[in-house]
Amino acid sequence: MFRDPTKEKEVSVSKFNLAVGEERGDSPQSTTVAYKDARKSRKKKNKVAIHIYVGSNKGGVGKSTIAYNLAWFLNARGKRVLLCDFDAQANISCSILKNENEIEAKYSLYDILEGNVEISEVIGKVCEDLDVMGGNSKLSEIDYFLRSKEREENENKSFFDSNDQESDASQIYRDTYELFKQMSVGYDFVIYDTNPENNKFNRLSMQVADLMIIPVQAKQSSAKAFKLTGSEFNDCFLTIDRDNSDITERIKVLYNIISPVRFNIPKEANEEEVRAIFEKEEARERELEEVVRGMYGEHMFKEVISHSGPLAEASDVGWPLFLHSEADEFNIKEFSNFTDEVIEVCDSLEKGVKKENKGRFAFLSPRA
Protein backbone atom coordinates (compact mmCIF):
# COMPACT_ATOMS: atom_id res chain seq x y z
CA MET A 1 0.00 0.00 0.00
CA PHE A 2 2.64 2.55 1.11
CA ARG A 3 6.28 2.95 0.10
CA ASP A 4 9.28 3.28 2.42
CA PRO A 5 11.23 6.48 1.61
CA THR A 6 14.25 5.33 3.66
CA LYS A 7 14.89 2.84 0.85
CA GLU A 8 14.73 5.53 -1.83
CA LYS A 9 16.87 8.40 -0.57
CA GLU A 10 20.59 8.41 0.19
CA VAL A 11 21.66 11.43 2.24
CA SER A 12 24.28 12.35 4.81
CA VAL A 13 24.01 10.13 7.89
CA SER A 14 24.79 13.21 9.99
CA LYS A 15 21.28 14.47 9.17
CA PHE A 16 19.85 11.37 10.80
CA ASN A 17 21.99 11.99 13.85
CA LEU A 18 20.81 15.59 13.93
CA ALA A 19 17.21 14.45 13.64
CA VAL A 20 17.52 12.26 16.73
CA GLY A 21 19.78 14.63 18.68
CA GLU A 22 22.97 12.61 18.38
CA GLU A 23 26.41 13.59 17.11
CA ARG A 24 28.23 10.64 15.62
CA GLY A 25 29.44 12.10 12.33
CA ASP A 26 29.10 10.64 8.83
CA SER A 27 29.64 6.98 8.07
CA PRO A 28 29.58 4.87 4.89
CA GLN A 29 26.35 3.17 5.99
CA SER A 30 23.33 3.18 3.72
CA THR A 31 20.40 5.40 4.65
CA THR A 32 18.26 2.39 5.60
CA VAL A 33 20.95 0.92 7.87
CA ALA A 34 21.66 4.28 9.49
CA TYR A 35 17.97 4.81 10.16
CA LYS A 36 17.61 1.39 11.79
CA ASP A 37 20.71 2.00 13.93
CA ALA A 38 19.40 5.39 15.06
CA ARG A 39 16.08 3.82 16.06
CA LYS A 40 17.69 0.96 18.00
CA SER A 41 19.78 3.33 20.08
CA ARG A 42 16.69 5.25 21.25
CA LYS A 43 14.02 2.56 21.47
CA LYS A 44 11.81 2.95 24.54
CA LYS A 45 8.18 1.97 25.02
CA ASN A 46 5.49 4.24 26.43
CA LYS A 47 3.30 2.93 29.23
CA VAL A 48 0.23 3.94 27.23
CA ALA A 49 -0.46 4.95 23.64
CA ILE A 50 -0.50 8.74 23.49
CA HIS A 51 -2.94 10.35 21.06
CA ILE A 52 -1.91 13.62 19.39
CA TYR A 53 -4.34 15.82 17.46
CA VAL A 54 -2.83 18.23 14.90
CA GLY A 55 -5.43 20.70 13.69
CA SER A 56 -6.77 24.20 13.22
CA ASN A 57 -9.89 25.81 11.83
CA LYS A 58 -7.68 27.56 9.27
CA GLY A 59 -6.27 25.82 6.24
CA GLY A 60 -2.72 26.21 4.99
CA VAL A 61 -1.04 26.51 8.40
CA GLY A 62 1.07 23.36 7.97
CA LYS A 63 -1.05 20.72 9.71
CA SER A 64 -0.13 17.86 7.37
CA THR A 65 3.52 18.94 7.25
CA ILE A 66 3.73 19.01 11.04
CA ALA A 67 1.85 15.72 11.51
CA TYR A 68 3.85 13.86 8.86
CA ASN A 69 7.27 15.00 10.04
CA LEU A 70 6.42 14.56 13.72
CA ALA A 71 5.52 10.93 12.99
CA TRP A 72 8.90 10.39 11.33
CA PHE A 73 10.94 12.23 13.97
CA LEU A 74 9.22 10.21 16.72
CA ASN A 75 9.83 7.00 14.79
CA ALA A 76 13.51 7.93 14.38
CA ARG A 77 13.63 8.02 18.19
CA GLY A 78 12.51 4.40 18.36
CA LYS A 79 8.79 5.06 18.87
CA ARG A 80 6.01 2.94 17.37
CA VAL A 81 3.80 5.42 15.53
CA LEU A 82 0.43 5.31 13.79
CA LEU A 83 -0.23 8.35 11.59
CA CYS A 84 -3.94 8.74 10.80
CA ASP A 85 -4.93 10.63 7.66
CA PHE A 86 -8.32 12.07 8.67
CA ASP A 87 -8.37 14.73 5.93
CA ALA A 88 -10.58 14.07 2.88
CA GLN A 89 -7.88 15.66 0.70
CA ALA A 90 -5.68 12.68 1.69
CA ASN A 91 -2.45 14.62 1.11
CA ILE A 92 -0.39 12.35 3.35
CA SER A 93 -1.76 9.13 1.84
CA CYS A 94 -1.28 10.40 -1.69
CA SER A 95 2.37 11.32 -1.09
CA ILE A 96 3.43 7.83 0.04
CA LEU A 97 1.24 5.47 -1.99
CA LYS A 98 3.26 2.88 -3.89
CA ASN A 99 1.16 3.41 -7.01
CA GLU A 100 1.98 6.94 -8.16
CA ASN A 101 -1.18 7.02 -10.29
CA GLU A 102 -3.40 6.76 -7.19
CA ILE A 103 -4.50 9.96 -5.49
CA GLU A 104 -6.01 8.50 -2.33
CA ALA A 105 -6.10 5.32 -0.26
CA LYS A 106 -8.63 2.65 -1.16
CA TYR A 107 -10.09 2.64 2.35
CA SER A 108 -10.30 5.14 5.21
CA LEU A 109 -11.80 5.45 8.68
CA TYR A 110 -15.16 6.09 7.02
CA ASP A 111 -15.15 2.57 5.57
CA ILE A 112 -14.47 1.13 9.04
CA LEU A 113 -17.38 3.07 10.58
CA GLU A 114 -19.68 1.84 7.82
CA GLY A 115 -18.64 -1.73 8.65
CA ASN A 116 -17.23 -2.43 5.19
CA VAL A 117 -13.66 -3.25 6.27
CA GLU A 118 -11.59 -4.14 9.32
CA ILE A 119 -9.05 -1.76 10.90
CA SER A 120 -6.17 -3.89 9.57
CA GLU A 121 -7.33 -3.29 5.98
CA VAL A 122 -7.02 0.49 6.34
CA ILE A 123 -3.63 0.61 8.08
CA GLY A 124 -0.49 0.06 6.00
CA LYS A 125 3.19 -0.20 6.90
CA VAL A 126 5.59 2.53 5.76
CA CYS A 127 8.72 1.34 7.56
CA GLU A 128 9.53 -0.50 10.78
CA ASP A 129 7.17 0.71 13.52
CA LEU A 130 5.66 3.48 11.38
CA ASP A 131 2.18 2.80 9.99
CA VAL A 132 -0.35 5.03 8.25
CA MET A 133 -4.13 4.84 8.35
CA GLY A 134 -5.09 5.84 4.83
CA GLY A 135 -7.39 8.69 3.91
CA ASN A 136 -9.75 9.25 0.97
CA SER A 137 -12.53 11.55 -0.20
CA LYS A 138 -15.17 9.55 1.70
CA LEU A 139 -13.94 11.24 4.87
CA SER A 140 -15.83 14.35 3.76
CA GLU A 141 -19.03 12.39 4.50
CA ILE A 142 -18.02 11.24 7.98
CA ASP A 143 -19.81 14.05 9.83
CA TYR A 144 -23.02 13.43 7.87
CA PHE A 145 -22.70 9.71 8.69
CA LEU A 146 -22.30 10.39 12.44
CA ARG A 147 -25.21 12.84 12.52
CA SER A 148 -27.44 10.41 10.59
CA LYS A 149 -26.69 7.64 13.06
CA GLU A 150 -27.39 10.03 15.92
CA ARG A 151 -30.77 10.94 14.41
CA GLU A 152 -31.66 7.26 13.96
CA GLU A 153 -30.87 6.58 17.59
CA ASN A 154 -32.99 9.51 18.76
CA GLU A 155 -35.93 8.42 16.61
CA ASN A 156 -35.74 4.90 18.04
CA LYS A 157 -35.63 5.98 21.68
CA SER A 158 -38.52 4.96 23.89
CA PHE A 159 -40.28 7.31 26.31
CA PHE A 160 -38.25 5.85 29.18
CA ASP A 161 -34.98 6.33 27.26
CA SER A 162 -35.79 9.98 26.67
CA ASN A 163 -36.04 10.54 30.42
CA ASP A 164 -32.73 8.85 31.07
CA GLN A 165 -29.85 11.32 31.27
CA GLU A 166 -27.38 8.66 30.18
CA SER A 167 -29.25 8.32 26.88
CA ASP A 168 -27.99 11.80 25.90
CA ALA A 169 -24.78 10.05 24.92
CA SER A 170 -25.29 8.87 21.35
CA GLN A 171 -24.04 5.32 20.91
CA ILE A 172 -22.29 6.12 17.63
CA TYR A 173 -19.89 8.46 19.45
CA ARG A 174 -19.20 5.87 22.12
CA ASP A 175 -18.55 3.31 19.37
CA THR A 176 -16.20 5.70 17.55
CA TYR A 177 -14.39 6.39 20.81
CA GLU A 178 -13.91 2.65 21.28
CA LEU A 179 -12.63 2.44 17.71
CA PHE A 180 -9.89 4.94 18.59
CA LYS A 181 -8.99 2.67 21.49
CA GLN A 182 -8.70 -0.39 19.25
CA MET A 183 -6.58 1.55 16.76
CA SER A 184 -4.02 2.47 19.41
CA VAL A 185 -3.10 -1.07 20.44
CA GLY A 186 0.59 -1.71 19.77
CA TYR A 187 1.66 1.93 19.33
CA ASP A 188 3.46 4.52 21.45
CA PHE A 189 1.94 7.46 19.57
CA VAL A 190 -1.18 7.88 17.44
CA ILE A 191 -1.19 11.14 15.44
CA TYR A 192 -4.27 12.61 13.73
CA ASP A 193 -3.89 14.83 10.66
CA THR A 194 -7.25 16.61 10.42
CA ASN A 195 -9.18 18.91 8.11
CA PRO A 196 -9.90 22.60 8.91
CA GLU A 197 -13.57 22.09 9.74
CA ASN A 198 -15.72 22.56 12.82
CA ASN A 199 -17.54 19.24 12.81
CA LYS A 200 -18.47 16.57 15.32
CA PHE A 201 -15.78 14.15 14.23
CA ASN A 202 -13.04 16.74 14.77
CA ARG A 203 -14.49 17.62 18.16
CA LEU A 204 -14.55 13.95 19.10
CA SER A 205 -10.92 13.63 17.96
CA MET A 206 -9.95 16.62 20.10
CA GLN A 207 -11.67 15.18 23.15
CA VAL A 208 -9.92 11.84 22.69
CA ALA A 209 -6.47 13.42 22.20
CA ASP A 210 -3.99 13.58 25.05
CA LEU A 211 -2.20 16.49 23.35
CA MET A 212 -3.60 18.95 20.82
CA ILE A 213 -1.08 20.75 18.62
CA ILE A 214 -2.50 23.88 16.98
CA PRO A 215 -0.15 25.33 14.31
CA VAL A 216 -0.28 29.14 14.26
CA GLN A 217 1.46 31.28 11.66
CA ALA A 218 2.59 34.87 11.90
CA LYS A 219 -0.80 36.09 10.68
CA GLN A 220 -3.78 37.49 12.53
CA SER A 221 -6.16 35.12 10.72
CA SER A 222 -4.10 32.15 11.92
CA ALA A 223 -4.18 33.36 15.53
CA LYS A 224 -7.94 33.89 15.34
CA ALA A 225 -8.34 30.33 14.08
CA PHE A 226 -6.72 29.10 17.29
CA LYS A 227 -9.30 31.00 19.31
CA LEU A 228 -12.07 29.41 17.27
CA THR A 229 -10.57 25.96 17.70
CA GLY A 230 -10.25 26.47 21.45
CA SER A 231 -13.78 27.81 21.80
CA GLU A 232 -15.17 24.53 20.45
CA PHE A 233 -14.32 22.83 23.72
CA ASN A 234 -16.59 25.05 25.76
CA ASP A 235 -19.89 24.34 24.01
CA CYS A 236 -19.56 21.14 22.07
CA PHE A 237 -18.50 18.28 24.32
CA LEU A 238 -19.78 14.93 23.10
CA THR A 239 -20.76 12.57 25.90
CA ILE A 240 -18.09 9.87 25.89
CA ASP A 241 -16.27 8.06 28.65
CA ARG A 242 -13.60 10.74 28.93
CA ASP A 243 -12.86 13.28 31.67
CA ASN A 244 -12.35 16.68 30.06
CA SER A 245 -11.70 18.70 33.21
CA ASP A 246 -8.05 19.08 32.17
CA ILE A 247 -8.68 19.80 28.51
CA THR A 248 -7.00 23.23 28.52
CA GLU A 249 -3.81 21.62 29.79
CA ARG A 250 -3.77 19.42 26.71
CA ILE A 251 -3.65 22.30 24.20
CA LYS A 252 -0.30 23.49 22.86
CA VAL A 253 0.34 26.11 20.16
CA LEU A 254 3.15 25.62 17.63
CA TYR A 255 4.31 28.90 16.10
CA ASN A 256 5.36 28.80 12.44
CA ILE A 257 7.62 31.49 11.02
CA ILE A 258 6.98 32.16 7.35
CA SER A 259 10.32 32.19 5.58
CA PRO A 260 11.15 35.47 3.78
CA VAL A 261 12.06 33.37 0.76
CA ARG A 262 8.32 33.17 0.04
CA PHE A 263 8.07 36.93 -0.40
CA ASN A 264 8.51 38.68 -3.72
CA ILE A 265 12.08 39.95 -3.94
CA PRO A 266 12.87 42.06 -7.03
CA LYS A 267 15.18 40.24 -9.44
CA GLU A 268 17.34 43.34 -9.79
CA ALA A 269 17.91 43.57 -6.02
CA ASN A 270 21.56 43.31 -4.99
CA GLU A 271 22.87 41.21 -2.11
CA GLU A 272 22.66 44.06 0.40
CA GLU A 273 19.04 44.83 -0.53
CA VAL A 274 18.06 41.17 -0.29
CA ARG A 275 19.67 40.94 3.16
CA ALA A 276 17.76 44.04 4.25
CA ILE A 277 14.45 42.45 3.13
CA PHE A 278 15.26 39.29 5.07
CA GLU A 279 16.23 41.18 8.21
CA LYS A 280 13.11 43.36 8.08
CA GLU A 281 10.83 40.37 7.63
CA GLU A 282 12.60 38.39 10.34
CA ALA A 283 12.28 41.29 12.77
CA ARG A 284 8.55 41.61 11.98
CA GLU A 285 7.94 37.91 12.61
CA ARG A 286 9.92 37.94 15.85
CA GLU A 287 7.80 40.83 17.05
CA LEU A 288 4.70 38.85 16.18
CA GLU A 289 6.12 35.88 18.04
CA GLU A 290 6.36 37.98 21.21
CA VAL A 291 2.74 39.04 20.75
CA VAL A 292 1.63 35.44 20.21
CA ARG A 293 3.58 34.25 23.26
CA GLY A 294 1.94 36.99 25.27
CA MET A 295 -1.46 35.72 24.11
CA TYR A 296 -0.92 32.01 24.75
CA GLY A 297 1.78 31.93 27.45
CA GLU A 298 2.44 28.43 28.75
CA HIS A 299 0.23 26.96 26.04
CA MET A 300 2.99 27.58 23.48
CA PHE A 301 5.84 25.28 22.58
CA LYS A 302 9.23 26.87 23.20
CA GLU A 303 10.53 25.81 19.80
CA VAL A 304 9.56 27.70 16.66
CA ILE A 305 9.40 25.97 13.26
CA SER A 306 10.70 28.00 10.34
CA HIS A 307 8.92 27.31 7.08
CA SER A 308 11.22 26.36 4.24
CA GLY A 309 10.95 24.98 0.74
CA PRO A 310 12.40 21.56 1.68
CA LEU A 311 10.10 21.29 4.73
CA ALA A 312 6.99 21.89 2.62
CA GLU A 313 8.22 19.82 -0.32
CA ALA A 314 9.40 16.87 1.75
CA SER A 315 5.93 15.91 2.96
CA ASP A 316 4.43 16.55 -0.49
CA VAL A 317 6.68 13.89 -2.01
CA GLY A 318 6.54 11.57 0.98
CA TRP A 319 9.97 12.25 2.50
CA PRO A 320 10.61 13.28 6.09
CA LEU A 321 12.55 16.54 6.36
CA PHE A 322 15.80 14.80 7.27
CA LEU A 323 15.69 12.80 4.03
CA HIS A 324 15.49 15.89 1.82
CA SER A 325 18.91 16.47 0.25
CA GLU A 326 18.45 20.26 0.38
CA ALA A 327 17.09 20.42 3.92
CA ASP A 328 18.82 23.00 6.08
CA GLU A 329 20.45 21.52 9.18
CA PHE A 330 19.08 24.40 11.26
CA ASN A 331 15.55 23.50 10.13
CA ILE A 332 16.14 19.82 11.00
CA LYS A 333 17.45 20.86 14.41
CA GLU A 334 14.33 23.00 15.01
CA PHE A 335 12.06 20.05 14.30
CA SER A 336 14.23 17.75 16.37
CA ASN A 337 13.97 20.13 19.34
CA PHE A 338 10.21 20.38 18.81
CA THR A 339 9.92 16.58 18.81
CA ASP A 340 11.90 16.36 22.06
CA GLU A 341 9.56 18.97 23.53
CA VAL A 342 6.51 16.94 22.47
CA ILE A 343 7.97 13.86 24.18
CA GLU A 344 8.77 15.93 27.28
CA VAL A 345 5.19 17.27 27.43
CA CYS A 346 3.77 13.77 26.98
CA ASP A 347 6.14 12.36 29.64
CA SER A 348 4.92 14.98 32.09
CA LEU A 349 1.33 13.98 31.31
CA GLU A 350 2.17 10.31 31.72
CA LYS A 351 3.78 10.91 35.13
CA GLY A 352 0.56 12.64 36.17
CA VAL A 353 -1.46 9.48 35.65
CA LYS A 354 -2.87 8.38 39.02
CA LYS A 355 -5.73 6.19 40.11
CA GLU A 356 -7.72 9.24 41.14
CA ASN A 357 -7.11 10.92 37.78
CA LYS A 358 -8.07 8.34 35.20
CA GLY A 359 -9.01 11.02 32.71
CA ARG A 360 -5.42 12.10 32.08
CA PHE A 361 -5.12 9.76 29.11
CA ALA A 362 -7.82 8.73 26.69
CA PHE A 363 -6.98 5.09 27.11
CA LEU A 364 -5.17 3.87 30.20
CA SER A 365 -4.85 0.24 29.13
CA PRO A 366 -1.15 -0.61 28.58
CA ARG A 367 0.04 -0.81 25.00
CA ALA A 368 0.56 -4.31 23.63
Side-chain angles (χ1 to χ4, degrees), residues 329-340:
E329 290 195 353
F330 180 77
N331 210 186
I332 296 175
K333 186 63 177 175
E334 282 182 331
F335 216 99
S336 179
N337 291 341
F338 163 63
T339 305
D340 286 336

Side-chain angles (χ1 to χ4, degrees), residues 52 90 274 324:
I52 299 177
V274 170
H324 198 297

Side-chain angles (χ1 to χ4, degrees), residues 31-306:
T31 302
T32 305
V33 172
Y35 190 72
K36 287 182 178 179
D37 285 351
R39 293 194 71 255
K40 286 178 182 177
S41 68
R42 302 290 291 270
K43 203 158 189 174
K44 180 185 176 184
K45 295 180 180 179
N46 292 349
K47 292 179 182 177
V48 292
I50 295 173
H51 291 240
I52 299 177
Y53 170 99
V54 182
S56 170
N57 270 354
K58 187 178 186 305
V61 294
K63 294 185 295 293
S64 296
T65 298
I66 298 299
Y68 185 72
N69 278 284
L70 179 60
W72 274 100
F73 274 72
L74 286 170
N75 182 254
R77 283 158 170 74
K79 303 297 185 182
R80 301 183 67 181
V81 182
L82 172 63
L83 175 59
C84 301
D85 192 349
F86 288 161
D87 190 344
Q89 296 181 56
N91 291 332
I92 286 178
S93 300
C94 180
S95 69
I96 54 174
L97 285 167
K98 283 183 178 179
N99 187 342
E100 295 182 357
N101 295 320
E102 295 177 341
I103 59 173
E104 62 181 20
K106 184 177 181 180
Y107 300 120
S108 68
L109 181 70
Y110 181 85
D111 297 285
I112 301 175
L113 288 172
E114 277 212 316
N116 297 330
V117 296
E118 299 295 325
I119 294 176
S120 58
E121 297 178 72
V122 182
I123 295 176
K125 178 179 179 179
V126 177
C127 71
E128 183 182 358
D129 292 338
L130 175 57
D131 297 338
V132 169
M133 173 174 277
N136 58 28
S137 57
K138 293 179 184 177
L139 288 166
S140 62
E141 303 171 26
I142 200 167
D143 202 53
Y144 176 78
F145 172 83
L146 293 173
R147 290 176 184 274
S148 297
K149 289 291 184 181
E150 187 177 17
R151 279 196 300 270
E152 287 177 19
E153 290 174 30
N154 290 333
E155 289 172 359
N156 292 329
K157 280 180 184 177
S158 69
F159 171 79
F160 297 102
D161 290 332
S162 63
N163 286 284
D164 182 3
Q165 289 185 346
E166 285 300 314
S167 67
D168 290 341
S170 183
Q171 187 61 42
I172 184 60
Y173 299 117
R174 291 184 183 276
D175 291 345
T176 307
Y177 178 69
E178 286 301 312
L179 177 58
F180 277 96
K181 182 176 182 178
Q182 295 171 38
M183 284 162 36
S184 66
V185 174
Y187 298 102
D188 297 306
F189 289 91
V190 181
I191 301 173
Y192 318 146
D193 177 40
T194 62
N195 58 36
E197 294 181 12
N198 178 8
N199 58 41
K200 286 203 169 186
F201 179 73
N202 276 354
R203 293 199 294 273
L204 178 64
S205 303
M206 286 187 281
Q207 283 181 243
V208 169
D210 302 301
L211 176 64
M212 286 160 279
I213 299 176
I214 315 296
V216 172
Q217 290 182 341
K219 297 178 180 179
Q220 286 188 352
S221 57
S222 182
K224 288 178 180 177
F226 169 77
K227 289 184 177 180
L228 287 172
T229 304
S231 68
E232 294 175 6
F233 302 126
N234 298 325
D235 321 304
C236 307
F237 281 142
L238 303 175
T239 309
I240 55 175
D241 187 18
R242 175 74 153 117
D243 176 15
N244 286 294
S245 60
D246 68 335
I247 199 159
T248 56
E249 298 175 33
R250 308 200 310 255
I251 305 173
K252 280 281 187 180
V253 175
L254 176 64
Y255 187 68
N256 295 333
I257 287 184
I258 305 168
S259 170
V261 174
R262 290 190 169 192
F263 291 85
N264 294 324
I265 298 176
K267 291 182 180 180
E268 62 275 12
N270 57 40
E271 185 178 342
E272 187 175 333
E273 290 172 328
V274 170
R275 189 183 303 112
I277 292 173
F278 271 66
E279 289 176 353
K280 181 180 179 181
E281 187 57 37
E282 185 179 29
R284 185 188 74 84
E285 292 190 331
R286 290 300 178 186
E287 286 178 8
L288 279 170
E289 181 186 350
E290 290 184 15
V291 173
V292 172
R293 289 197 182 279
M295 291 170 61
Y296 305 133
E298 63 181 13
H299 289 296
M300 277 194 70
F301 285 100
K302 296 174 184 176
E303 190 57 66
V304 170
I305 303 297
S306 302

